[in-house]
Amino acid sequence: MMRPGAQQYVVARPLYSEESFAEEHEKVYRQRKSMLDHVKQYFTCDAKRAKNAALSLLPVIGWIRIYRIKEWLFSDIVSGVSTGLVAVLQGLAYCLLASLPPWYGLFSAFFPVVIYFFLGTSRHISVGPFPVLCLMIGSVVTRLVPDDGPAANITGFEGLTRDEQRVLVASSVTFLAGIMQLAMGVLQVGFVVMYLSDTLVSGFTTAAAVHILVSQLKFVLGLVVPGISGPLIIFNKITSSNVCDIVISLVIMVVVFIVKELNDRFKSKLPVPIPIEVIMTVIACGVSYAFDFRTRFGIDVVGHIPKGYEPPVAPNLQIFQETAVEAFPMAIVGFAVAFSVAKVYSVKHDYTIDGNQELIAFGVSNIFGASFKSFAASTALSRSAVQESTGGKTQVAGLLSAIMVMIVTLAIGFLLDPLPKSVLGAVVIVNLKGMLMQFREIPYLWKKDKPDCVVWFTTCTASILLGLDLGLAVGLVIPICSKKCQELIYFTILLSLQIYEPEGVKIFRIPSPIFFANIEFFRSKLVGFNPLRVLRKRNKALRMIRKLLKKGDLQWTSKGFLNTSFQPIKELEDESNMEELDQPTDFKDLPVRIDWNGELPANIVVPRVDLHSLVLDFAAVSFLDISALKGLKMALRELIRVEVEVYIVACDPYILEKLHDCCFFDDEVQPSMFFLTLHDAMLHILEKHPESTEKKFDNGKLIITHFIFCVKTNLHLNYITVL
């Protein structure tokens, strides 16, 4: 039964075959560039292109020009000192995962950071050792240079101690991974990170956390076992545990865990997170030295840390041949983790990052660092969180953290001589909490999306049983559909054959499933602007208007806002409470609702949004995974918050049911945005926004031919509506 008061329409058009349709309607072709045109454009150089190339290869030039010394320098100093202290401790601790002498971790916390300062596009990540990469390096090191038995027959090992052989292996495989990252960056293949879904990365890092946990048990229990040993070997020797190491580890883990929880709970009230790892390390060093734990209880300590840096060393080509298979997943994982963290902070602080330039930055960082005997660098989540949460604005904070590491290496490293290795193992285990807690995703994924759950469980299980490199390969063996989106333009053609495109309306067709590999491409192509950036500009403008009204520099009159200040009004540079800028615009305490496309008071400039309606054609969307669902909801919410109405048409009932099951809808994203057909949605939009296309004939009826043109495939659809 028809809903009372519902609008009705009648569709009448000739019956067409493909041949008759082609005869009556001329096909529209896009003008395409030839290969020669692309080659000419690629090799054409002018002043503007040279400048853009320099800014692209050296991003430091771009942000150093706008560096605000008064506002940012103090924050960067505080952040750099805090991050540097954590980097020293994590460098020593994570080096144990790589089965190398601890002080080489300080090299990895210094050399890559300096290079990334000049070449990196993220302003907030902290570059240095990453536990998963360290573990992958450790597996290669112990394979070629085992604890028991002779090392592999490799030219260049002659006359070297076991530690020196291991350092050569680690630096060589790092050099090779850096070459691979640099090559991928030069070849512009930064998109490879899209093929690592959220569920795959979650399962992989959870498995890595399990490996890391097992590898650190020998330090926590004070056992002497070969290399990276499995749980069975450790269990067989558990009766030989050192009680002193166990007590130290338990105390460190309990205290650090409690204080970290307090840091999270009261982070809004604490100016700087309590550096509990550093505090406990200093205390443990002092107690170990005072009571001579090494002699009295036989615990294993860090020992002598040589001052200064070692001369550069060339990589071993034979090691390249032996480790090429392991180096490639290192290059991918290191880049993927760093890029994911960098993307989070770039969105939060409203700037852009370049995946290809990030590959170049990490590639050069690893090549340069490996020459000075450091191992593969990425970013540690906890260290990056410290750098950002303590007020870091740019990579000046990262450079200062590297200087802190350099001071320890050159001057005060001897103070860490009595530090028990069980302390470092305990710190590593406590920092695994976030990765180990990802096990909680299994029930959610099983209930909401069983295919994603299978990907997570398979990747995790394979990585635990087969090793991290083969586990990652297993997780990637999933058919990936090509990422392709098409934009539709909805025309209205009057009988006079004049063509009108409804103003403010955009139709977007997605002719493939939406999933982790194409969701970011889909979001980037939806509209021609960044809705989150527009929202933040609007909220900043509202913040400024409220401040001016409160000070009396701005007043509301019958003719609009009146600027009563005789001095020029400067734009607010306050970047505090960034989270508030992402919330919907609130006009409740203002005298009038702001017209964002009109003239704004006090010379405020906000990007115009001429789009009022966006229609998403889901007719060909047969599948949505969890990553796509989250990305889609985020995209819709951002558009709705900048007053763009979103409509989804021809959605498969299975997709709609899944959206309900996964709690997709809320107060902003509502089921009412779904329409049966594209025509239903367009008629609703034209009724709601008649100014878009409203032309009447003398008889009071409007006969409109709706013409849909697909930009990429040049398909045509033509039908008549009588209103």
Side-chain angles (χ1 to χ4, degrees):
M1 188 173 181
M2 192 168 58
R3 178 166 51 89
Q7 186 183 14
Q8 301 179 45
Y9 67 84
V10 178
V11 177
R13 65 167 179 80
L15 189 146
Y16 285 117
S17 66
E18 289 287 344
E19 185 178 7
S20 60
F21 185 85
E23 290 176 355
E24 188 170 330
H25 299 84
E26 182 181 358
K27 197 169 186 177
V28 180
Y29 293 93
R30 293 175 58 189
Q31 185 177 0
R32 299 180 182 273
K33 291 183 179 179
S34 65
M35 181 61 68
L36 181 61
D37 293 332
H38 285 290
V39 172
K40 288 181 179 179
Q41 183 180 2
Y42 185 81
F43 287 102
T44 300
C45 185
D46 52 24
K48 183 178 180 181
R49 188 167 185 183
K51 179 182 177 182
N52 291 337
L55 291 175
S56 175
L57 291 175
L58 288 172
V60 63
I61 299 175
W63 60 260
I64 206 70
R65 294 183 305 172
I66 61 171
Y67 192 85
R68 299 200 288 266
I69 297 178
K70 292 183 179 180
E71 292 91 345
W72 291 357
L73 184 58
F74 180 73
S75 297
D76 278 340
I77 291 174
V78 173
S79 175
V81 173
S82 304
T83 308
L85 294 173
V86 176
V88 169
L89 181 58
Q90 290 189 350
L92 296 171
Y94 293 159
C95 202
L96 300 180
L97 296 172
S99 300
L100 300 174
W103 60 85
Y104 286 99
L106 299 178
F107 298 174
S108 298
F110 175 73
F111 291 108
V113 180
V114 174
I115 299 300
Y116 189 86
F117 173 83
F118 295 100
L119 300 180
T121 58
S122 174
R123 304 176 191 173
H124 293 88
I125 65 170
S126 175
V127 177
F130 176 57
V132 176
L133 277 185
C134 294
L135 188 68
M136 297 174 77
I137 291 172
S139 64
V140 177
V141 167
T142 53
R143 178 173 66 84
L144 297 181
V145 189
D147 286 331
D148 298 329
N153 185 18
I154 293 178
T155 304
F157 275 4
E158 300 84 0
L160 300 179
T161 65
R162 188 184 65 179
D163 283 345
E164 290 172 341
Q165 291 174 347
R166 289 187 166 187
V167 170
L168 181 59
V169 172
S171 61
S172 296
V173 72
T174 297
F175 197 100
L176 181 56
I179 291 176
M180 292 177 177
Q181 288 176 328
L182 179 60
M184 288 189 290
V186 172
L187 295 175
Q188 304 285 293
V189 292
F191 63 86
V192 295
V193 73
M194 292 189 305
Y195 297 102
L196 299 176
S197 68
D198 293 344
T199 49
L200 185 147
V201 172
S202 175
F204 177 78
T205 53
T206 304
V210 174
H211 282 290
I212 294 170
L213 175 63
V214 173
S215 70
Q216 294 304 290
L217 288 178
K218 67 177 183 180
F219 298 109
V220 169
L221 299 176
L223 299 175
V224 180
V225 292
I228 301 177
S229 303
L232 293 179
I233 297 176
I234 293 175
F235 181 76
N236 288 334
K237 293 196 174 186
I238 199 168
T239 54
S240 304
S241 300
N242 189 308
V243 177
C244 184
D245 275 319
I246 294 175
V247 172
I248 291 173
S249 301
L250 288 176
V251 171
I252 295 291
M253 285 191 286
V254 169
V255 174
V256 171
F257 178 80
I258 292 174
V259 176
K260 275 182 167 288
E261 290 297 310
L262 293 175
N263 279 340
D264 288 339
R265 181 168 297 184
F266 300 105
K267 61 182 177 181
S268 59
K269 299 180 180 179
L270 292 172
V272 176
I274 302 171
I276 187 60
E277 295 105 324
V278 177
I279 294 172
M280 295 304 294
T281 300
V282 172
I283 294 174
C285 262
V287 173
S288 175
Y289 176 77
F291 293 96
D292 195 10
F293 280 179
R294 175 165 41 184
T295 303
R296 294 179 61 183
F297 301 105
I299 66 172
D300 194 11
V301 298
V302 170
H304 174 65
I305 297 180
K307 286 187 178 180
Y309 294 100
E310 300 182 13
V313 61
N316 188 296
L317 298 182
Q318 192 174 349
I319 295 177
F320 280 8
Q321 298 174 359
E322 295 285 340
T323 61
V325 175
E326 290 99 334
F328 183 71
M330 287 182 200
I332 295 296
V333 171
F335 165 66
V337 172
F339 185 76
S340 300
V341 177
K343 187 165 61 173
V344 170
Y345 290 127
S346 70
V347 171
K348 181 177 180 180
H349 293 278
D350 195 19
Y351 62 89
T352 58
I353 57 174
D354 183 350
N356 294 312
Q357 180 61 27
E358 287 294 291
L359 273 170
I360 293 174
F362 278 104
V364 176
S365 297
N366 283 323
I367 291 172
F368 181 77
S371 301
F372 289 91
K373 301 183 180 180
S374 76
F375 49 84
S378 179
T379 182
L381 280 67
S382 57
R383 195 170 60 248
S384 294
V386 169
Q387 180 165 319
E388 192 269 342
S389 63
T390 51
K393 303 295 183 184
T394 64
Q395 280 300 329
V396 169
L399 189 62
L400 291 173
S401 72
I403 293 174
M404 293 288 295
V405 175
M406 183 181 67
I407 292 172
V408 173
T409 306
L410 298 178
I412 61 175
F414 67 92
L415 296 176
L416 297 172
D417 186 317
L419 177 64
K421 287 186 178 180
S422 56
V423 173
L424 300 178
V427 169
V428 171
I429 290 176
V430 171
N431 280 293
L432 293 178
K433 179 203 167 192
M435 289 194 285
L436 290 173
M437 293 299 285
Q438 292 175 141
F439 275 112
R440 296 186 301 180
E441 295 181 11
I442 295 177
Y444 172 81
L445 289 174
W446 182 255
K447 182 180 178 182
K448 305 300 184 184
D449 197 315
K450 289 182 175 59
D452 267 0
C453 185
V454 171
V455 171
W456 194 102
F457 186 78
T458 303
T459 304
C460 183
T461 305
S463 299
I464 291 174
L465 299 179
L466 304 177
L468 295 178
D469 47 357
L470 292 178
L472 180 62
V474 170
L476 287 171
V477 181
I478 298 173
I480 298 175
C481 301
S482 61
K483 53 174 185 153
K484 183 173 69 170
C485 291
Q486 298 171 343
E487 181 181 340
L488 301 181
I489 303 174
Y490 193 99
F491 291 103
T492 58
I493 307 177
L494 295 181
L495 291 181
S496 62
L497 296 183
Q498 281 187 290
I499 299 178
Y500 295 89
E501 180 182 356
E503 295 181 359
V505 182
K506 183 174 183 180
I507 305 173
F508 199 83
R509 182 180 179 225
I510 309 99
S512 68
I514 309 176
F515 59 117
F516 67 89
N518 61 16
I519 181 61
E520 289 302 322
F521 179 82
F522 164 76
R523 291 184 61 184
S524 67
K525 297 298 181 182
L526 270 181
V527 288
F529 60 91
N530 185 334
L532 184 60
R533 183 168 296 178
V534 173
L535 177 63
R536 287 175 174 171
K537 290 284 187 183
R538 290 183 178 183
N539 278 325
K540 280 186 178 180
L542 288 176
R543 187 183 289 181
M544 185 175 182
I545 291 173
R546 288 189 177 95
K547 185 174 182 180
L548 294 175
L549 287 171
K550 187 176 181 180
K551 290 172 62 178
D553 292 338
L554 196 66
Q555 292 183 357
W556 171 251
T557 66
S558 58
K559 297 182 179 180
F561 283 106
L562 176 65
N563 184 9
T564 59
S565 174
F566 296 101
Q567 298 178 353
I569 298 174
K570 296 182 179 180
E571 184 179 353
L572 293 175
E573 300 291 349
D574 181 23
E575 292 192 4
S576 60
N577 299 323
M578 288 293 293
E579 290 80 4
E580 292 182 5
L581 299 180
D582 296 343
Q583 300 303 312
T585 50
D586 185 4
F587 303 98
K588 64 181 180 181
D589 57 345
L590 294 178
V592 67
R593 186 179 181 89
I594 304 296
D595 178 12
W596 296 113
N597 286 341
E599 184 177 352
L600 300 178
N603 298 322
I604 296 174
V605 178
V606 173
R608 285 178 58 91
V609 177
D610 296 320
L611 184 70
H612 62 70
S613 300
L614 174 67
V615 183
L616 302 180
D617 187 350
F618 269 39
V621 178
S622 58
F623 174 73
L624 268 176
D625 68 0
I626 291 294
S627 300
L629 189 145
K630 293 177 181 177
L632 176 63
K633 183 171 183 177
M634 191 178 301
L636 298 185
R637 184 179 290 166
E638 291 172 358
L639 288 166
I640 291 170
R641 289 180 178 181
V642 294
E643 299 174 8
V644 174
E645 300 164 6
V646 183
Y647 303 93
I648 298 177
V649 302
C651 183
D652 189 285
Y654 159 76
I655 300 291
L656 195 55
E657 182 181 356
K658 183 173 183 178
L659 295 179
H660 281 284
D661 292 341
C662 293
C663 304
F664 182 81
F665 300 106
D666 53 26
D667 293 339
E668 293 178 287
V669 182
Q670 299 180 350
S672 58
M673 66 170 55
F674 285 79
F675 282 76
L676 285 179
T677 68
L678 174 61
H679 196 54
D680 288 311
M682 280 306 305
L683 290 179
H684 174 80
I685 292 169
L686 296 180
E687 181 184 18
K688 193 172 183 179
H689 300 275
E691 71 281 359
S692 296
T693 170
E694 187 176 44
K695 292 185 178 289
K696 294 271 184 177
F697 286 113
D698 293 337
N699 59 8
K701 286 188 177 182
L702 173 62
I703 303 177
I704 304 174
T705 301
H706 298 283
F707 174 73
I708 302 177
F709 168 65
C710 177
V711 174
K712 290 196 174 180
T713 59
N714 297 329
L715 298 176
H716 302 71
L717 177 63
N718 191 344
Y719 52 90
I720 297 174
T721 300
V722 182
L723 299 178

